[in-house]
Amino acid sequence: MTTATTSPAVTTAPAFTADPAAHRVLTGDRPTGPLHLGHYFGTLQNRVRLQRQGVEMFVVVADYQVITDRDIADRLAEHTENLVLDYLAAGLDPDRATIFAHSAVPALNQLLLPFLSLVSVAELNRNPTVKDEIAHSSQAAVNGLMFTYPVHQAADILFCKADLVPVGQDQLPHLEVACTVARRFNERYPRADGSPVFPRPEALLSTAPLLLGTDGGKMSKSRGNAISLGATEDETARLIRGAKTDTERRISYDPAGRPEVSSLVLLAALCQDRAPEEIAAELGDGGAAALKRTVTESVNEYLRPIRARRAELATDRGHLRQVLRDGAERANAVADATLAEVRAVMGAI
Ligand code: ATP
Ligand code: MG
């Protein structure tokens, strides 16, 4: 096996608006809790934009990946339905996007076997995101799925031959695994005409690739530091009031020097669709209290229509399950075709 890995090309704006039909997007989330502002401004907003441009999209609810860092997938069905609820409320259209749980697509999971043969144990061991997740895991022992899930993610991406993956910054090491798997598979198993089976997927980062939570760490569903899209306005105000800041009264936008304050400024800026420097200058010497008031008002105003849609959609759980069934049917057809091709180029009968 060659030891060189393949870094993903990273773009911050979809460069292909001229030809959306030529591309395919895969993104997804773990059903570990409700989606939060980090998801929205990190990837979800870009997904909705891409969908509006007419790009074909697959959205995976990564249910097997829940048990990478915990023993049991708690309230799995409820979390899965609520993810779909958040997607639809944010603007994903199930008629245009294929939304499915990867445990419902057997052929996708089978790709994991040949893909695992393409990466070394040393490569699995040095993945920085996996290391960070192990550090935050409450499990007594690290399980095998934790080390191999980036390869599972490569299967999520490559089963539908996606070439663009809107993600947050923590996912870049995993995209590198997907690119490496695609390249090594193509080298080892070319088609009869020499053409590659898999594309090289590209990461699409937003302007908020790593939104911080109320404790100053990465905003995460599982770390108790998130403001969820479905939170009430009062809950939102309470959470933002408790967010970590610093003692300096002058508000500035300096992500490296003042990460917590800057993340709040960025949040207000994203909601108001303005530059963070402008928001900081406006707040001037107002201190953390004024900053938090502005952020609370901006977030609640921005999310009001999304929350109203969410409340409406939440009354029909049957529809959410139907979206997943329809998505699984479409995803299975695509995965079966890809697995058949993989088996053929490998020489399996
Ligand atoms: P968990 O704590 O269960 O791992 P999470 O909040 O990290 O949940 P994931 O389901 O792991 O969410 O991530 C889904 C997608 O959202 C990924 O593309 C990830 O990069 C992106 N994302 C998650 N958190 C943030 C964040 N704070 N800022 C920007 N993007 C994020
Ligand atoms: Mg995560």
Side-chain angles (χ1 to χ4, degrees), residues 5-342:
T5 59
T6 305
S7 298
V10 176
T11 172
T12 47
F16 53 80
T17 39
D19 190 10
H23 297 274
R24 192 175 257 190
V25 165
L26 178 287
T27 61
D29 310 275
R30 302 201 302 160
T32 44
L35 292 185
H36 51 67
L37 289 165
H39 295 117
Y40 187 82
F41 290 113
T43 84
L44 201 45
Q45 196 181 41
N46 269 339
R47 301 180 201 180
V48 174
R49 285 182 184 144
L50 289 162
Q51 177 190 266
R52 291 207 180 112
Q53 288 168 356
V55 178
E56 191 181 6
M57 182 156 338
F58 287 75
V59 183
V60 61
V61 176
D63 48 2
Y64 274 139
Q65 285 174 18
V66 175
I67 45 177
T68 53
D69 63 355
R70 64 204 76 196
D71 295 335
I72 288 174
D74 191 33
R75 297 190 287 152
L76 187 58
E78 180 191 330
H79 285 322
T80 299
E81 284 174 22
N82 284 343
L83 265 194
V84 179
L85 181 57
D86 283 332
Y87 292 152
L88 303 192
L92 285 182
D93 174 359
D95 290 333
R96 285 189 281 169
T98 297
I99 302 172
F100 67 101
H102 66 184
S103 72
V105 184
L108 179 162
N109 293 289
Q110 196 173 322
L111 291 175
L112 190 57
L113 297 175
F115 287 1
L116 276 173
S117 77
L118 299 167
V119 291
S120 70
V121 171
E123 284 167 340
L124 294 174
N125 257 319
R126 60 170 176 256
N127 185 303
T129 296
V130 169
K131 283 187 187 162
D132 181 59
E133 285 170 354
I134 289 171
H136 284 90
S137 156
S138 55
Q139 277 190 311
V142 181
N143 70 36
L145 198 58
M146 174 60 105
F147 281 102
T148 54
Y149 94 83
V151 185
H152 198 176
Q153 232 167 281
D156 291 341
I157 294 167
L158 297 175
F159 97 92
C160 63
K161 302 190 178 177
D163 63 349
L164 193 72
V165 190
V167 284
Q169 190 166 289
D170 60 313
Q171 294 297 309
L172 292 182
H174 300 347
L175 250 288
E176 181 168 333
V177 174
C179 286
T180 301
V181 164
R183 179 178 55 77
R184 290 182 185 162
F185 187 92
N186 292 336
E187 281 168 8
R188 204 170 286 187
Y189 307 108
R191 290 181 177 134
D193 65 0
S195 65
V197 172
F198 293 112
R200 178 176 164 193
E202 191 173 328
L204 173 63
L205 287 184
S206 77
T207 45
L210 183 63
L211 199 72
L212 301 185
T214 51
D215 60 357
K218 170 187 163 311
M219 188 179 285
S220 296
K221 293 185 227 96
S222 314
R223 296 185 193 176
N225 65 359
I227 298 157
S228 65
L229 300 182
T232 63
E233 298 203 358
D234 285 350
E235 256 168 340
T236 304
R238 184 177 56 75
L239 290 166
I240 293 172
R241 250 197 322 273
K244 189 172 166 194
T245 50
D246 56 37
T247 50
E248 207 179 309
R249 277 205 71 76
R250 181 146 201 93
I251 302 302
S252 58
Y253 184 64
D254 169 15
R258 299 177 77 189
E260 296 93 357
V261 164
S262 300
S263 196
L264 286 170
V265 172
L266 176 64
L267 196 46
L270 289 163
C271 291
Q272 294 184 31
D273 199 13
R274 290 169 65 198
E277 293 81 2
E278 211 179 293
I279 305 272
E282 214 166 77
L283 286 162
D285 289 323
L291 169 63
K292 289 177 178 181
R293 264 196 311 278
T294 298
V295 175
T296 302
E297 279 163 24
S298 312
V299 168
N300 279 338
E301 192 173 318
Y302 187 88
L303 289 181
R304 209 162 285 140
I306 293 177
R307 286 170 168 165
R309 219 165 27 242
R310 194 180 186 282
E312 220 171 279
L313 289 158
T315 58
D316 188 356
R317 310 295 292 186
H319 174 61
L320 304 175
R321 285 193 291 273
Q322 190 57 45
V323 165
L324 285 161
R325 273 194 294 273
D326 293 346
E329 197 180 317
R330 291 205 291 268
N332 269 303
V334 173
D336 287 346
T338 302
L339 181 62
E341 191 180 9
V342 161

